[in-house]
Amino acid sequence: QVQFVESGGGLVQPGGSLRLSCAASGSTPDYYAIGWFRQAPGKEREGVSCISSSGTNTFYRDSVKGRFTISRDNAKATVSLRMNSLQPEDTAVYYCALVRMGRLCLPLNADSWGQGTQVIVSS
């Protein structure tokens, strides 16, 4: 089984940037997608961005397009999420997870969740 550990969260002012990292350990599939998800207080968990096993195909929800960038380094078994122009609406606990092959970037298609890292965007 694969385990994920998220890091890089914290407090940032509106308009600021953060870079989240997701480190994988244990037994990892040869081909898989990794997704970043988030859950704001009182809200449903939602997909933020996903990246294919090759790293060439990426997906973003509309609200983060042009602001967030996902990348992966398979040699280091890490997936990163660069978040620019952060807004208060981005405040949430961010999780990374394994996304089932060929499935959409939705929480229902994800498993092996990490513990999450808190992102707070506030003045």
Side-chain angles (χ1 to χ4, degrees):
Q1 293 184 339
V2 63
Q3 297 86 43
F4 294 114
V5 178
E6 301 94 336
S7 62
L11 175 64
V12 65
Q13 291 182 300
S17 299
L18 284 174
R19 182 177 180 271
L20 306 183
S21 294
C22 174
S25 63
S27 180
T28 58
D30 291 335
Y31 303 97
Y32 59 95
I34 298 293
W36 280 100
F37 304 82
R38 66 187 181 187
Q39 188 164 18
K43 299 292 185 67
E44 293 288 320
R45 191 170 299 184
E46 63 184 17
V48 178
S49 180
C50 289
I51 186 167
S52 65
S53 60
S54 67
T56 59
N57 295 318
T58 58
F59 307 89
Y60 301 91
R61 69 180 300 108
D62 288 343
S63 62
V64 308
K65 287 181 179 177
R67 298 190 298 119
F68 291 11
T69 303
I70 191 170
S71 62
R72 68 189 295 168
D73 185 340
N74 289 339
K76 296 182 179 180
T78 59
V79 176
S80 297
L81 184 69
R82 175 69 177 181
M83 305 185 295
N84 295 327
S85 301
L86 284 163
Q87 304 167 3
E89 295 75 27
D90 296 315
T91 296
V93 177
Y94 283 70
Y95 303 87
C96 63
L98 188 72
V99 178
R100 295 182 180 182
M101 183 172 57
R103 309 294 288 274
L104 298 176
C105 189
L106 298 170
L108 62 87
N109 292 324
D111 57 20
S112 299
W113 298 91
Q115 84 289 348
T117 184
Q118 176 72 254
V119 172
I120 300 175
V121 185
S122 179
S123 298

